[in-house]
Amino acid sequence: MQVLITGSAGFIGSHIAEELLRRGHDVRGLDLTDGGADGNGGDVRDAATVARHLAGVDVVCHQAAMVGLGVDIMDLPGYVSTNDLGTAVLLAEMARARVTGLVLASSMVVYGEGAYECAEHGPARPLPRTAEALDAGRFEPLCTACGQPLAPGTVTESAALDPRNVYADTKVAQEHLTASWARTTGGRAIALRYHNVYGPRMPRDTPYAGVAAIFRSHLANGRAPQVFEDGAQRRDFVHVRDVAVANALAVEAVAERPAGGLRPYNVASGHPHTVGEMAHALARACGGPEPVVTGAHRLGDVRHIVASPGRAAAELGFRAQIAFEDGMAEFAAESELVS
């Protein structure tokens, strides 16, 4: 197949390109930062550029995005422009070119907090955590009925979407725009809701970088990782090469999806760890200083988000292969971090 990857020079996009090429597909890239002579440079928000790259394409793998939790509300226009306007332009040009297959890079952030259970009241959906509670060190979400801490569980793709920061808002909007495109055009779409992706080529030295990259940069400079809250917040860390395989499987499967619909899948390892555990694993692998738990926090962060990868296993044949310990050891040792 001829596959267009937006964001093809980025952290995840570059790994997807390699995996698709390994499987024998033809790959075309479109990336804002790619100024090479191969014609891959360009902005997904520019309709003429997108139209030129779509010629002859069978499936689009849409990775281009502004990622991470924003520094402040002044980031809002950048997120909306890159993520939502960019997606809208891409979808409009796909409709014009009659390209009917799309794999969308979505995110776990669309869920907000994960699944929770109250011992007295059963399944619960907590309110966003307040600055007052976080300042006081009360990190666990509470039951809205009785005020007691909730027990975290596992979220599935059927969970209600509940974005809790600007980045999450734009990822939900991307899914909704894609669903509207599919219904209107008879297109076929898969949304891959990535969990905490890490691995080679991960961006560094930016306030928008993922927590693994931030810890890795601290350790590379001989500094202890600074762990927010109490370090007990749970995440699913999934290696970027596993994410690339998930995308390749989705690209190969999307043509078989029912026309006019979008199907979401969690892309996760299925083996959650706390942020504190991840920091300690990196510190051990780097031979660096032990992490420091600071109690600091960011408004808009969620406490626990762990998902079931069962649907992706059953329908796409995706199962993460890279174990947490092995992946973190490789990440600690590699020097191919992108500035």
Side-chain angles (χ1 to χ4, degrees):
M1 280 188 294
Q2 179 72 249
V3 183
L4 172 63
I5 305 174
T6 70
S8 56
F11 167 44
I12 298 175
S14 62
H15 284 277
I16 295 171
E18 290 173 358
E19 180 63 22
L20 288 171
L21 288 169
R22 189 185 70 79
R23 291 169 176 256
H25 298 290
D26 294 323
V27 174
R28 183 179 302 171
L30 172 61
D31 195 286
L32 185 62
T33 63
D34 192 336
D38 56 7
N40 289 348
D43 193 331
V44 74
R45 294 167 291 190
D46 181 77
T49 298
V50 172
R52 186 171 66 252
H53 282 76
L54 282 171
V57 164
D58 299 302
V59 179
V60 175
C61 188
H62 183 31
Q63 306 294 313
M66 182 174 178
V67 301
L69 185 63
V71 174
D72 56 40
I73 200 64
M74 303 307 292
D75 286 325
L76 200 158
Y79 278 108
V80 172
S81 176
T82 303
N83 298 356
D84 298 339
L85 176 60
T87 299
V89 170
L90 174 66
L91 294 171
E93 292 307 313
M94 287 178 65
R96 196 187 312 276
R98 301 194 192 309
V99 177
T100 59
L102 176 66
V103 176
L104 171 68
S106 188
S107 171
M108 66 177 190
V109 298
V110 300
Y111 297 121
E113 289 285 353
Y116 287 89
E117 188 91 10
C118 174
E120 182 177 352
H121 297 99
R125 191 138 193 94
L127 296 172
R129 298 182 297 167
T130 66
E132 179 185 25
L134 294 170
D135 288 342
R138 300 193 301 272
F139 302 127
E140 294 295 338
L142 304 178
C143 176
T144 56
C146 65
Q148 294 303 304
L150 299 169
T154 303
V155 68
T156 67
E157 290 88 349
S158 62
L161 304 187
D162 187 18
R164 299 197 172 187
N165 57 58
V166 168
Y167 172 57
D169 294 334
T170 64
K171 299 309 284 186
V172 170
Q174 282 186 306
E175 289 199 17
H176 287 168
L177 289 167
T178 299
S180 294
W181 163 82
R183 286 192 299 272
T184 303
T185 66
R188 296 168 168 88
I190 287 174
L192 299 180
R193 293 173 177 168
Y194 302 157
H195 284 251
N196 286 68
V197 186
Y198 73 98
R201 303 174 211 156
M202 194 172 189
R204 65 172 181 179
D205 301 332
T206 163
Y208 306 96
V211 66
I214 293 170
F215 290 169
R216 174 65 178 81
S217 291
H218 285 173
L219 289 161
N221 292 314
R223 295 185 287 125
Q226 305 293 297
V227 180
F228 280 12
E229 302 187 16
D230 57 0
Q233 52 274 52
R234 297 169 75 238
R235 299 289 189 270
D236 189 309
F237 297 95
V238 59
H239 196 279
V240 67
R241 288 198 297 274
D242 282 328
V243 173
V245 170
N247 274 272
L249 290 169
V251 164
E252 293 166 353
V254 71
E256 304 304 318
R257 295 296 314 156
L262 177 146
R263 183 75 164 165
Y265 296 91
N266 290 322
V267 176
S269 73
H271 301 284
H273 293 270
T274 68
V275 172
E277 288 170 344
M278 186 269 287
H280 281 283
L282 275 179
R284 284 194 303 271
C286 289
E290 285 295 296
V292 175
V293 176
T294 66
H297 60 81
R298 299 187 303 179
L299 197 63
D301 270 343
V302 297
R303 178 62 171 172
H304 305 294
I305 177 66
V306 175
S308 167
R311 178 187 287 182
E315 298 183 10
L316 298 179
F318 169 71
R319 293 174 178 81
Q321 299 297 312
I322 300 173
F324 175 79
E325 294 78 8
D326 296 338
M328 286 296 166
E330 177 200 21
F331 181 53
E334 68 94 19
S335 58
E336 198 182 359
L337 290 172
V338 179
S339 296

